[in-house]
């Protein structure tokens, strides 16, 4: 793994791949890693507008549910930017709300294809390059609901629980090759998705947010940059003895 030069940024000399790079959390991560000196490949679905303009950011279209798309995109990134030191699997969807018996088979398939299969495929096709250099850091986006249950979106929770355990399994498998694998667990975040939910809530936005985060030790939503800084720690050499860990960034939601 390329070592950071003191004073040159915490990611100087590194190449990072970030999926979901045009979403709120992904774009904050892309921007921060680039500002900290990394060459960043920002990956997202075709048609999503680029979210970050930076000379060190390159945009790529990808369908994380398609092995051919993932394999081709990762090969292009390696050819253009070099061997990736970091993979951030931030792409994900939440799906329709409702208990299990109200969901449809296509809901199940779509959620697991994007949230779980996508993480696995990106790892499968990025790890070989990391194995060659015997170093790397993989950061998978799970959720607080990969740790706790909840009645609103059980299929989403199930996918994030799967990501949590895939992270630990890959950490065990690749640690001997210098590859670290950790998961990020965001709480309620100030994102476009959250704002849409608040606007559509029958109880009104103010009551919705009070219900959502009012009981937290830190009674507010998190900001995307706060997730990005957590990713930065796990991506940098500062976390070189951290693997198989769950970094929870939730305002204390899981503490009470």
């Amino acid at each position: 793994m390329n070592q950071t030069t003191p004073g040159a940024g915490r990611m100087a000399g590194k190449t990072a791949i970030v999926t979901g790079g045009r979403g709120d959390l992904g774009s904050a991560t892309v921007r921060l890693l680039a500002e900290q000196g990394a060459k960043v490949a920002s990956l997202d679905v075709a048609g999503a507008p680029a979210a970050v303009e930076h000379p060190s950011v390159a945009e790529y279209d990808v369908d994380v549910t398609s092995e051919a798309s993932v394999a081709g995109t990762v090969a292009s990134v390696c050819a253009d930017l070099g061997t990736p030191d970091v993979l951030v699997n931030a792409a994900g969807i939440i799906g329709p709300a409702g208990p299990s018996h109200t969901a449809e088979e296509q809901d199940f398939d779509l959620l697991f294809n994007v949230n779980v299969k996508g993480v696995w495929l990106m790892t499968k096709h990025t790890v070989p390059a990391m194995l060659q250099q015997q170093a790397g850091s993989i950061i998978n986006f799970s959720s607080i609901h990969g740790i706790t249950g909840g009645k609103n979106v059980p299929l989403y929770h199930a996918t994030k629980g799967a990501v949590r355990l895939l992270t630990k399994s890959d950490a065990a498998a690749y640690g001997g090759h210098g590859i670290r694998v950790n998961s990020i667990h965001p709480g309620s975040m100030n994102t476009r998705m959250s704002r849409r939910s608040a606007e559509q809530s029958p109880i009104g936005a103010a009551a919705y947010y009070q219900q959502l985060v009012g009981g937290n030790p830190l009674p507010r939503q998190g900001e995307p940059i706060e997730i990005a800084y957590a990713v930065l720690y796990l991506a940098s050499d500062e976390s070189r003895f951290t693997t198989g860990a769950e970094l929870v960034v939730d305002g204390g939601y899981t503490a009470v």
Side-chain angles (χ1 to χ4, degrees):
M1 180 179 291
N2 297 317
Q3 297 295 310
T4 301
T5 301
R10 295 164 68 182
M11 294 293 293
K14 297 186 185 296
T15 297
I17 297 175
V18 181
T19 69
R22 299 166 195 164
D24 291 323
L25 301 185
S27 63
T29 298
V30 167
R31 182 178 295 106
L32 183 60
L33 294 183
E35 289 173 350
Q36 288 293 319
K39 293 183 294 183
V40 184
S42 175
L43 278 56
D44 215 317
V45 293
V52 179
E53 292 187 6
H54 191 282
S56 295
V57 175
E59 296 281 345
Y60 297 83
D61 294 333
V62 71
D63 175 0
V64 296
T65 71
S66 163
E67 182 156 21
S69 177
V70 168
T73 304
V74 171
S76 294
V77 171
C78 290
D80 295 344
L81 304 181
T83 299
D85 301 286
V86 176
L87 168 63
V88 183
N89 283 308
I93 58 173
I94 193 166
S100 289
H101 75 279
T102 67
E104 302 292 338
E105 185 176 10
Q106 58 264 32
D107 300 328
F108 182 98
D109 290 342
L110 179 59
L111 277 164
F112 273 84
N113 277 341
V114 174
N115 293 358
V116 184
K117 183 181 177 183
V119 171
W120 167 66
L121 283 175
M122 287 298 306
T123 300
K124 175 182 178 180
H125 288 280
T126 305
V127 156
M130 293 180 172
L131 288 172
Q132 287 186 347
Q133 67 178 9
Q134 290 288 286
S137 176
I138 299 173
I139 301 123
N140 296 327
F141 274 43
S142 179
S143 165
I144 52 173
H145 292 305
I147 299 173
T148 67
K151 63 184 180 181
N152 291 332
V153 280
L155 294 183
Y156 172 78
H157 299 171
T159 65
K160 292 305 184 178
V163 169
R164 172 176 173 260
L165 287 184
L166 179 61
T167 298
K168 292 182 181 298
S169 297
D170 284 347
Y174 298 124
H177 300 280
I179 300 169
R180 300 180 294 104
V181 191
N182 296 285
S183 54
I184 293 278
H185 297 259
S188 179
M189 306 302 298
N190 179 18
T191 62
R192 286 168 286 182
M193 183 184 300
S194 175
R195 290 192 290 276
R196 282 194 299 268
S197 297
E199 291 164 2
Q200 296 167 4
S201 173
I203 63 175
Y208 172 85
Y209 285 122
Q210 178 60 29
Q211 186 180 81
L212 195 65
V213 300
N216 288 0
L218 301 178
R220 65 170 176 86
Q221 286 190 300
E223 297 297 330
I225 188 62
E226 293 172 311
I227 298 299
Y229 271 111
V231 173
L232 175 61
Y233 166 69
L234 292 174
S236 74
D237 294 336
E238 297 158 15
S239 60
R240 57 188 175 271
F241 196 54
T242 302
T243 196
E246 303 161 3
L247 183 46
V248 180
V249 187
D250 70 348
Y253 175 91
T254 53
V256 297

